[in-house]
Amino acid sequence: MNGAVVTEMGIQVDPIHDEVLFDGTRVVLEPDNVVIALNKPDGCYTTMRDQVGRECVADLLPMGDYPSLYHIGRLDRDTTGVILFSTDGSLGNELLHPSRHVAKEYIAQVKGTPTQKDLDKLRQGILIRRGENTHQCAPAEAELLKKLPRSIRAEDSCLEVGLPGTSFVRLTIHEGVKHQVKLMLGAIGHPVVHLHRSRFGTVSCGALKQGEWRMLSADEVDGLRSSLSADGR
Ligand code: URA
């Protein structure tokens, strides 16, 4: 391996960086699938290639090592927070499938302060308008926050502590219609000023600063799989 003769059993190899020869012939090692969590920065597009060279998520990821990485869902350009990527397309499809009800938790900074009555509309399932169409949202979990949760550092998100005339709402949804959170909060009269995704399934950004990523451990990927509701397929 890498020019040295190996006679030990059970030696660990890195399928991307190590060169392994057997009887002089290169052994092609298939790397395991990986799942990566990125704290998407403000102003970055959720696309693997931008036609006109604008900053996109692929610019921040180890694409040289994992060229088949693909985003699991999307965040708007101005939304920060956790977004997952995988080389395993079928895991991505499972996590996004509406029947799997994977929880997506957002901290929204909104104009004004929603009342409990406003939040009840989100808890009951609100009708949103998308151009010509409407979408009946499933019941969501909605909570007005007195302050940002300690697990979220404002500087690692687009949220602005102390911005006059705004408040923070924690909203958890189990579906993923385009611009859903902005449309839901707009529909109760409290438009979103800033939006941060704090959790996707069982995964949060942890200590990642905007633009930083980390590889999920095998246990974390198992946890993610177990967040897939069994009532679907
Ligand atoms: N809902 C939105 O409105 N925007 C996002 O980026 C994600 C969910």
Side-chain angles (χ1 to χ4, degrees):
M1 180 174 80
N2 301 330
V5 177
V6 175
T7 51
E8 276 164 64
M9 293 288 285
I11 195 137
Q12 296 275 323
V13 294
D14 174 342
I16 291 177
H17 299 108
D18 291 333
E19 187 187 43
V20 180
L21 303 182
F22 182 73
D23 278 349
T25 307
R26 187 148 198 261
V27 178
V28 179
L29 302 163
E30 288 296 331
D32 287 340
N33 276 316
V34 295
V35 183
I36 283 179
L38 169 75
N39 181 355
K40 191 187 87 61
D42 191 2
C44 174
Y45 287 89
T46 305
T47 169
M48 300 316 283
R49 202 151 84 99
D50 188 77
Q51 304 290 352
V52 288
R54 293 170 301 188
E55 189 190 22
C56 67
V57 287
D59 300 334
L60 303 167
L61 296 170
M63 299 308 297
D65 287 345
Y66 306 104
S68 64
L69 270 179
Y70 202 74
H71 48 90
I72 301 179
R74 288 174 190 275
L75 290 176
D76 294 340
R77 177 172 178 258
D78 57 357
T79 302
T80 54
V82 64
I83 176 163
L84 300 183
F85 298 81
S86 184
T87 49
D88 179 354
S90 64
L91 175 65
N93 288 339
E94 289 288 319
L95 287 166
L96 292 177
H97 198 275
S99 69
R100 296 305 209 160
H101 306 296
V102 172
K104 272 113 4 192
E105 181 192 86
Y106 295 87
I107 307 293
Q109 184 162 17
V110 298
K111 274 200 184 154
T113 306
T115 62
Q116 287 305 316
K117 219 167 148 189
D118 293 328
L119 298 179
D120 278 344
K121 293 182 191 159
L122 304 175
R123 294 175 183 134
Q124 281 150 16
I126 196 163
L127 190 72
I128 54 176
R129 232 166 244 298
R130 301 180 60 229
E132 299 285 283
N133 304 316
T134 56
H135 172 76
Q136 176 60 56
C137 295
E141 289 133 63
E143 183 192 357
L144 183 68
L145 300 176
K146 289 204 176 72
K147 52 184 182 169
L148 272 191
R150 276 230 294 246
S151 55
I152 297 167
R153 286 188 305 262
E155 63 270 28
D156 300 339
S157 74
C158 55
L159 305 170
E160 274 183 82
V161 174
L163 190 64
T166 67
S167 60
F168 294 115
V169 174
R170 189 197 330 252
L171 186 65
T172 307
I173 60 174
H174 299 261
E175 44 189 348
V177 173
K178 197 171 178 195
H179 305 315
Q180 184 163 352
V181 171
K182 290 176 182 167
L183 293 171
M184 288 171 78
L185 288 158
I188 61 163
H190 293 278
V192 169
V193 179
H194 295 303
L195 187 61
H196 178 76
R197 183 153 71 187
S198 41
R199 185 166 61 84
F200 184 102
T202 48
V203 179
S204 58
C205 281
L208 295 177
K209 297 188 188 338
Q210 287 189 57
E212 290 183 346
W213 59 269
R214 67 185 177 84
M215 192 74 79
L216 299 196
S217 67
D219 283 352
E220 283 179 297
V221 177
D222 287 348
L224 201 50
R225 284 186 201 281
S226 65
S227 71
L228 293 169
S229 152
D231 67 280
R233 309 188 291 164

